[in-house]
Amino acid sequence: PVVGGASPRHAAPRCTFMGAQPMDLDESDLLFEEDILRNAYSLKYWWRYMEAKKRSPARQRNLIAERALKYLPGCYKIWHAYLADRRAQCKAKEPGHPAHARLNAVYERALVYMHKMPRIWLDYLEILAAQHAHTTTRRAFDRALRALPVTQHERIWKLYLPYAKASPVPEAAVRIYKRYLQFDSDAVEEYIDYLMQIGRVSEAALKLAEVLNREGFVSLRGKSRHKLWMELCDLVTKHPDKVGSLRVEAILRSGLKAFTDEAGHLWCALADYFIRQALFEQARDVYEEGLASLLTVRDFSMVFDAYSQFEESLITALIERQAQQQAAADLAAAESGGASAEASKAAAATTLELDMRLERLERLMERRPELLSSVLLRQNPHSVHEWLKRASLFEASPAKAIQTYAAAVKTVDPRRAVGRPSSLWLGFAKFYESHGDIKNARAILRKATLVPYKSVDELASIWMGWSEMELRHKKYPEALAVLAEATAVPPASRRAKEKEGPVQDRLYKFTKLWAFYADLQESLAGFEPTRVTYDKMIELRIVTPQLVLNYAAFLEEHKHFELAFQAYEKGVALFKYPHALPLWLSYLTKFTARFGGAKLERGRDLFEQALDGCPVESVHQLYLLYAKFEEAHGLARNAMAVYDRAAGAVALEKRASVYQLYIAKAAEYFGVTKTRDIYEAAIGALPSSEAPSFCLRYANLERKLGEIDRARAIYMHGAQEVDPAVAAGSADGESPYWKAWHDFEVSHGNEDTFREMLRLKRTVRASFADRAIVLPGNEAGGTKRPREEEAHVRRSPRLAPATTAAAPAVPEMALAEAAPSAESADAWRAKHLIESSEALPDPVRAFSDAPFDTRILQQFQKLGWTEPSPVQAQAWPIAMGGRDIIAVAKTGSGKTLGFLLPIFHRVRDELPLDAMTGPLAVVLAPTRELAVQIHVEAERFGTPAGVKVACVYGGTPKGPQIGVLSR
C-alpha cells in the first residue's frame, strides 16, 4: 500500500489498497499498519490488529480480515474468527437478503483452503439448512462427506439425517438413509421408523425381516429378537394390503415355532391378518388350529376370547345386513306393491347364514371346557386329575367317555404320573359298571393289575376295588377269589428280587390288602379260612397290633380261648414297646378274667414278661393290673411288694397316685401302723411340690395315734419345702400347710413349741425370699419380679442396701392381723425397703392415680396388672416432677417402665413437629441384649401412647436401622 502525503492536523488519514476501497485510519491504526508492513506474513500482528478492531464497523473488520487472508489463506484461526463475525452480521438479516449470499460465498472461499476442517463444514451446513435451499444444501452435505475423512462422517450425519427427515421430498430422504446405512448398518431401526412415518409399510416390513435374518444383529435400542419379531408380526397383520411382497403366514408360523411363550398373541395376529383381508373361513381355521395346539391357559384364554369376539362380530354384521335388507325390501314393496324375488332370496340366505353363525357360536361356548382340558393335558399328559375331569365332561356321551379313559390309561406313565394312576383304571371300570357292563369292567381291572405302578398301595387299591365291585353285585365267591389271587405268595425266585422287581411281586406283603381279605372272610367264609388268613399274616410278619387284637377277639367270639392266647403270644413276640402295650393289657386282662387264680404262676410269669422293657411313662398300668391280680388271686404280701416296686418304677408324675393307692391298700390289709414306712418312703421319693401333702397326711395319722412328738417332727420336716406366703385359694391369707401346723400347735402345743414354729416360719420365709422369682406383694400386679427384690430409690449414686429387723416372737393371731386400709407413705417405703438421701414425694400406689394417657391404663388392664411395682410407684412422681433420679433395683423389678412412661408423657406434650425433627428422647443401654429388651417394652406401651420408638445398636447392617429412624 502507498500512504498519501501529509494531511491537515485534525483530518483522519486514509489508506488505499489495491483492488479495494480506501479505509479510514486513525492514529492508533498506524502502529498496526507499520507492524504489518514489516511482518505481513506473521499471524501474531494480524491477530493483534483484528482483536483491536473488534468494535469497529463491520466493513472495516471485513477489510482487515480479507487483507489478512490474502497473506495467510491457510490460517484456520483467522478463517474461523472471520466466518463467525460474518455469521453474526447476517443473524438479524431477513431471509433472501444479499448478505446471506455473500456469507455463502465467503464460506465457499474458506472451504477451498479449509475443506478438511469439520467445524467449518458443520457451520456452513447449518447456515444452508436454515436458508431452505434444499438442492444446494444436499449437494453441500455430499461435498462434506466426500471431503472429510470417514472418521468425521458421524458428525456430518448428525445434521444430515434430521435435515433429510424434514425434507419435503421423501424419496430423497429414503436415498439419504440408504447411504447412511452403508456407513452405520446398526441404525436400521431408525430407518424403519422413518419408513413407517412416511407410509412405506412394505419397505419397512422388508427391512425388518432383513434385520431378523441377520444372526449377529444387536438392537441399539435394547430390543430383543423376540421384541423385533412381535413388531414384525404386528406390522404385517395390521397392513395386509401393503405387504404383498412378504409371505405373512410363513413369517407368523415361524414365529410360533421360535417363540412359544407368545403363541396366543401370534395365533390371534395370524387370524387378524386373514380377517382384515375378509378371509373369514381361513381365520376360523387359524383359531381352531391355535386352540388345538396351545400349551398355556393364558394363551388359550386370549385365543378363545378373540375367537368368540370374531364370531360375535360376524353375527352382528349379519344382523345389521338383515335389517338393511328388510328395510330395502319394505321400501321396494311400498313402491312396487310387492316384494321382489331376488330380495326374498337374499334375505333367506342371510337368515340361513345367521342361523349357522349362531349355531357355531353356541357350539364354541359348549366346547370351552373340553378345549381347556386339552390345553391342560398338553401341559402335562400324565396328570391323573385332569384326565378324570375330562372324563367327567362326557358323562352324557358314553362313547367319548370311553375314548377319554382309553386315551388316559394309554398316555399316563405310572412312573411320571401326577396323582394315582390306579384311580384312572378304577374310574374306567366303574364307568362300565354304571352302564351294566360287568364283563368289560372285569377286563379293565384285569389289565389294571398288570400295570407297573410306583407303589404297592396303588396295585392293592385295584384288587380291593375289583373285590368291592363284586360285592356290590353280590358275587361273594368271586370277591373272595379276587382277593385270594391278590394275596397269593409268589414263587421263591420272584420273592428273592422283591426290592428291584415289579410291585406285583411285593403285593403279597401289603397289610391293608390282607386286612381287607380277613374282614371279608370273617363275614363270608367262616371260621377256618379266616383263622388261616390271620395266621398267614402273622407268619409273613405283616400284622399290626390292631389286627392281633382283632384276631384274638375273633377267636374268643368263637370260644377258642387258648388259640386267642396263642395269638396274643405271637403278637407280643412280634412287637416291642410302646406298640406291644395294648397287646399286653388286653392279654393280661383276658387271661385273669378267664383263669383267675387257676393258673397263678403262669399269670405272674406273664406279668413279669410284660414289665420287662416297658417304658416308665406306661408301666404304671401294668403294675396296677399286676397288683389287682395278686389282691384277687394271690397273697396280700405279694400285692404290697408289687405296689412297692411300682412306686419306684413309675414316672415321677404318677408316683404320688401310686403311693396313695399303696398306702390305702396297706392300711386296708395290715392296719394304719404299717403305713409309716410307706409314708417315709413316699416323702423321700416324691418331689418337693407333692411331699408336703403326704407330710400332712402322715402327721394327721400320728396325731390320731397319739404320737404328738412324731407328728410335730413330721410338720417340721415338711415345712422346709412350703412357702409361708399366701397360697391361691386360701381364705385366711396363709398356706394350708402352715395353717394346719398352726391349728395343731394351738391344740397340742405350748408356748415354746409355738415360738419354735414361728421361728422356723420366719427362717423358711427368708429362705424362699432368697430364691423366689416373684416380688412379695406384687403377685397380683402384672410384672413378675424376684420374690426377695426390694427397690432402692435414691438421689445419691451409692446407697447401702437396707436391712430388715427380725420380727418379734408373738402369737400367730397377732401376725395375721389385717393391715390398716390407709397406709402412710413412710410406712409404705419402710415396708418395701425404699431409702433415699432426700425428701421424696408420695408414691403412686395405684395405676388410676398415675397421670398417664387412658390408653396406657387400658394396656395395664389388658395385661392383668393391678398395681405398680415399688420402684415404679416411687420413681414416677419424681420423674414427672422434672427432677433427676437414680433408681437401683434388681432385675425384674419394673425399672424399664419406671423411666419409659414419664418419657412418653413428656413426648406427648411436645408441640407439633416437622419432618426434620430428630428423636425427643434417648435411652442408653450398656449391652445389645438389654437394648433389645428395652425396645420390646417400649413398643408394647409406645404404640398405645402414640409414640414411635427405634432401637439402634452395632454389629448389624445400618440400612434397616436408618430406615426406621427416617420414618
Side-chain angles (χ1 to χ4, degrees):
V2 178
V3 181
S7 60
R9 181 173 183 179
H10 298 289
R14 296 177 62 79
C15 181
T16 303
F17 307 100
M18 291 184 298
Q21 296 179 359
M23 182 179 70
D24 295 332
L25 299 175
D26 56 18
E27 295 179 357
S28 62
D29 294 336
L30 296 177
L31 296 176
F32 294 108
E33 291 291 343
E34 290 175 0
D35 290 338
I36 290 173
L37 286 174
R38 289 191 293 269
N39 302 285
Y41 295 94
S42 175
L43 172 63
K44 179 175 69 174
Y45 296 104
W46 282 110
W47 188 254
R48 186 184 301 169
Y49 197 6
M50 292 172 66
E51 287 293 317
K53 289 297 183 177
K54 273 189 175 181
R55 298 183 181 274
S56 301
R59 175 176 171 277
Q60 192 172 358
R61 297 197 308 272
N62 293 344
L63 287 174
I64 294 173
E66 289 287 353
R67 291 171 59 198
L69 290 172
K70 181 178 180 181
Y71 290 99
L72 301 171
C75 182
Y76 173 79
K77 188 173 183 179
I78 296 176
W79 275 114
H80 186 270
Y82 181 35
L83 293 173
D85 190 15
R86 295 298 293 262
R87 288 200 308 273
Q89 296 170 24
C90 294
K91 185 174 294 185
K93 301 292 191 298
E94 67 278 3
H97 193 279
H100 292 290
R102 291 196 293 270
L103 176 62
N104 294 346
V106 173
Y107 265 104
E108 289 292 344
R109 288 168 50 208
L111 289 174
V112 173
Y113 301 99
M114 299 286 109
H115 60 277
K116 296 296 183 184
M117 297 300 174
R119 181 70 266 165
I120 295 178
W121 278 110
L122 293 174
D123 294 340
Y124 185 32
L125 294 173
E126 287 178 356
I127 292 171
L128 291 178
Q131 295 174 6
H132 302 288
H134 298 292
T135 303
T136 304
T137 305
R138 180 170 50 80
R139 290 175 178 175
F141 273 113
D142 294 342
R143 287 164 52 203
L145 291 173
R146 288 194 299 268
L148 293 174
V150 72
T151 56
Q152 301 293 331
H153 284 194
E154 183 65 29
R155 302 175 67 181
I156 303 300
W157 282 112
K158 286 182 180 179
L159 292 176
Y160 203 0
L161 292 179
Y163 167 76
K165 286 183 179 180
S167 174
V169 183
E171 183 62 32
V174 169
R175 296 192 179 190
I176 291 171
Y177 261 109
K178 288 180 179 180
R179 290 177 56 195
Y180 179 60
L181 291 180
Q182 294 178 0
F183 171 73
D184 184 7
S185 60
D186 292 334
V188 65
E189 293 173 278
E190 186 178 351
Y191 177 43
I192 294 173
D193 291 344
Y194 178 71
L195 289 176
M196 292 297 299
Q197 181 180 345
I198 63 176
R200 296 195 176 189
V201 179
S202 178
E203 294 183 35
L206 286 172
K207 203 65 184 178
L208 188 54
E210 178 186 336
V211 167
L212 288 171
N213 289 329
R214 287 163 50 185
E215 294 295 335
F217 177 76
V218 177
S219 172
L220 297 180
R221 299 179 180 178
K223 295 181 180 179
S224 63
R225 190 174 181 83
H226 169 268
K227 179 68 175 175
L228 295 173
W229 258 106
M230 300 311 298
E231 289 183 359
L232 177 61
C233 294
D234 291 341
L235 181 62
V236 298
T237 53
K238 291 179 180 178
H239 307 88
D241 54 332
K242 297 180 180 179
V243 291
S245 57
L246 290 176
R247 298 170 56 194
V248 177
E249 185 174 0
I251 291 173
L252 293 174
R253 290 189 180 277
S254 63
L256 286 169
K257 294 178 181 178
F259 307 106
T260 55
D261 56 334
E262 292 289 345
H265 181 79
L266 291 173
W267 281 114
C268 292
L270 182 56
D272 187 47
Y273 168 73
F274 287 115
I275 292 172
R276 290 176 184 271
Q277 293 181 306
L279 301 174
F280 301 127
E281 292 304 319
Q282 293 187 30
R284 286 187 68 253
D285 294 341
V286 169
Y287 279 126
E288 290 290 343
E289 184 181 356
L291 292 175
S293 61
L294 293 172
L295 297 176
T296 63
V297 177
R298 177 181 65 87
D299 292 336
F300 169 79
S301 300
M302 185 185 302
V303 175
F304 186 86
D305 292 343
Y307 191 7
S308 59
Q309 291 174 7
F310 163 68
E311 293 289 356
E312 290 172 0
S313 63
L314 289 181
I315 292 172
T316 302
L318 287 173
I319 292 174
E320 293 176 355
R321 188 203 302 176
Q322 189 179 39
Q324 293 173 0
Q325 290 176 346
Q326 184 65 34
D330 294 342
L331 181 61
E335 293 177 352
S336 62
S340 65
E342 294 182 359
S344 300
K345 187 176 181 180
T350 303
T351 302
L352 181 62
E353 186 178 359
L354 179 60
D355 293 339
M356 181 188 68
R357 295 290 181 185
L358 289 171
E359 182 67 23
R360 282 181 176 177
L361 180 59
E362 183 180 355
R363 174 60 182 153
L364 177 63
M365 293 303 175
E366 291 176 355
R367 290 168 53 211
R368 190 180 192 284
E370 180 183 350
L371 295 172
L372 180 59
S373 175
S374 300
V375 172
L376 295 174
L377 287 174
R378 281 193 292 272
Q379 284 183 356
N380 183 10
H382 305 286
S383 175
V384 175
H385 177 67
E386 291 301 329
W387 279 111
L388 291 174
K389 285 177 60 178
R390 184 177 180 83
S392 65
L393 297 175
F394 304 120
E395 291 181 353
S397 178
K400 284 190 174 182
I402 292 174
Q403 291 176 1
T404 301
Y405 275 117
V409 297
K410 183 178 180 181
T411 303
V412 174
D413 184 357
R415 302 291 180 182
R416 301 165 57 189
V418 178
R420 294 170 60 89
S422 57
S423 59
L424 275 177
W425 289 97
L426 291 172
F428 197 2
K430 193 171 183 180
F431 181 80
Y432 274 114
E433 180 190 358
S434 63
H435 288 79
D437 194 349
I438 304 300
K439 182 178 179 181
N440 277 327
R442 290 186 182 124
I444 293 297
L445 291 171
R446 172 62 64 183
K447 292 181 180 179
T449 59
L450 305 177
V451 175
Y453 299 102
K454 287 190 293 186
S455 65
V456 180
D457 184 28
E458 292 194 63
L459 179 59
S461 65
I462 295 292
W463 286 103
M464 289 189 290
W466 190 353
S467 178
E468 289 171 354
M469 184 189 72
E470 300 291 354
L471 290 175
R472 286 194 294 269
H473 293 276
K474 303 186 184 304
K475 305 290 184 178
Y476 304 124
E478 287 81 356
L480 290 173
V482 167
L483 292 179
E485 181 181 356
T487 56
V489 179
S493 59
R494 292 170 57 187
R495 294 201 302 270
K497 301 178 180 179
E498 285 183 0
K499 293 183 179 180
E500 62 272 9
V503 293
Q504 283 77 5
D505 293 344
R506 303 195 298 272
L507 180 64
Y508 76 99
K509 296 186 73 174
F510 191 67
T511 303
K512 187 177 179 181
L513 182 63
W514 279 97
F516 182 69
Y517 188 24
D519 289 343
L520 197 59
Q521 282 191 325
E522 189 174 345
S523 303
L524 302 175
F527 173 76
E528 189 60 29
T530 305
R531 185 186 66 80
V532 171
T533 300
Y534 275 114
D535 287 340
K536 192 64 177 179
M537 283 192 285
I538 294 174
E539 178 186 349
L540 293 173
R541 304 177 70 87
I542 58 173
V543 74
T544 64
Q546 186 59 49
L547 287 176
V548 174
L549 294 175
N550 295 345
Y551 184 24
F554 170 74
L555 293 173
E556 290 174 10
E557 184 180 344
H558 288 80
K559 309 301 181 183
H560 294 275
F561 298 104
E562 283 298 328
L563 291 177
F565 295 149
Q566 291 177 15
Y568 281 123
E569 291 284 351
K570 294 177 182 178
V572 296
L574 286 175
F575 298 101
K576 295 182 179 180
Y577 286 105
H579 307 292
L581 181 62
L583 295 178
W584 277 115
L585 291 175
S586 179
Y587 184 17
L588 295 173
T589 302
K590 297 295 179 61
F591 183 85
T592 54
R594 174 67 178 168
F595 295 106
K599 296 185 177 181
L600 187 59
E601 292 302 323
R602 182 181 173 188
R604 289 171 177 166
D605 185 54
L606 289 176
F607 275 109
E608 293 297 335
Q609 291 181 36
L611 290 171
D612 185 22
C614 185
V616 293
E617 59 269 12
S618 306
V619 73
H620 65 281
Q621 302 180 56
L622 294 175
Y623 271 116
L624 295 181
L625 196 60
Y626 192 6
K628 289 180 181 179
F629 174 73
E630 289 290 351
E631 291 176 34
H633 307 291
L635 300 176
R637 181 178 68 255
N638 293 341
M640 295 302 103
V642 173
Y643 280 120
D644 186 62
R645 290 172 57 192
V650 299
L652 196 62
E653 61 271 11
K654 300 289 184 182
R655 192 168 296 174
S657 60
V658 172
Y659 268 115
Q660 290 177 2
L661 183 60
Y662 186 12
I663 292 171
K665 294 296 182 180
E668 178 183 351
Y669 293 122
F670 300 103
V672 294
T673 58
K674 296 295 184 181
T675 61
R676 285 173 173 165
D677 294 339
I678 305 175
Y679 272 117
E680 293 175 1
I683 293 170
L686 290 173
S688 59
S689 60
E690 297 177 343
S693 62
F694 277 79
C695 289
L696 283 176
R697 296 174 60 188
Y698 189 16
N700 189 40
L701 171 65
E702 294 294 350
R703 182 181 61 80
K704 290 180 180 179
L705 295 175
E707 298 289 344
I708 303 303
D709 292 338
R710 289 177 60 87
R712 184 176 289 111
I714 294 170
Y715 275 121
M716 294 179 66
H717 177 79
Q720 307 295 326
E721 301 296 337
V722 181
D723 186 2
V726 177
S730 177
D732 53 0
E734 191 173 11
S735 168
Y737 187 93
W738 287 97
K739 181 66 170 59
W741 192 6
H742 172 271
D743 295 342
F744 172 79
E745 293 296 345
V746 169
S747 301
H748 303 285
N750 52 40
E751 186 175 354
D752 293 336
T753 59
F754 199 87
R755 288 177 181 276
E756 180 63 21
M757 182 197 69
L758 294 179
R759 184 196 64 77
L760 182 60
K761 187 175 183 179
R762 290 193 296 272
T763 303
V764 173
R765 180 185 287 116
S767 174
F768 273 92
D770 290 338
R771 63 186 179 182
I773 298 176
V774 182
L775 183 66
N778 285 282
E779 293 82 1
T783 308
K784 293 188 177 180
R785 308 171 180 90
R787 188 178 274 132
E788 81 283 7
E789 193 167 324
E790 301 291 345
H792 302 275
V793 183
R794 71 262 174 96
R795 294 275 296 174
S796 58
R798 295 193 177 275
L799 185 66
T803 58
T804 304
V810 295
E812 184 68 7
M813 287 72 73
L815 294 175
E817 184 177 354
S821 59
E823 188 179 21
S824 67
D826 292 335
W828 183 86
R829 294 190 192 96
K831 175 182 177 181
H832 294 287
L833 303 180
I834 296 178
E835 299 178 5
S836 174
S837 61
E838 295 184 16
L840 299 176
D842 290 340
V844 178
R845 306 190 203 181
F847 288 132
S848 58
D849 297 334
F852 300 137
D853 190 89
T854 306
R855 290 172 291 182
I856 296 292
L857 301 180
Q858 292 175 352
Q859 184 72 0
F860 289 139
Q861 295 178 359
K862 185 186 298 184
L863 296 173
W865 298 356
T866 58
E867 62 181 5
S869 68
V871 67
Q872 294 170 351
Q874 189 60 73
W876 285 344
I878 298 174
M880 299 292 286
R883 299 168 62 188
D884 296 334
I885 179 173
I886 297 176
V888 178
K890 294 185 178 180
T891 302
S893 58
K895 298 187 298 298
T896 304
L897 290 182
F899 62 80
L900 281 179
L901 294 186
I903 287 175
F904 293 163
H905 184 75
R906 294 295 296 272
V907 168
R908 292 269 300 173
D909 291 341
E910 293 292 333
L911 294 174
L913 308 174
D914 57 35
M916 298 305 295
T917 302
L920 296 179
V922 178
V923 179
L924 300 181
T927 64
R928 170 177 169 178
E929 291 74 14
L930 184 57
V932 172
Q933 293 175 12
I934 295 173
H935 179 252
V936 171
E937 205 69 14
E939 281 281 355
R940 181 190 296 180
F941 287 88
T943 301
V947 178
K948 294 182 179 180
V949 296
C951 187
V952 180
Y953 46 83
T956 59
K958 299 179 181 178
Q961 297 183 7
I962 293 174
V964 172
L965 287 176
S966 66
R967 292 190 292 273

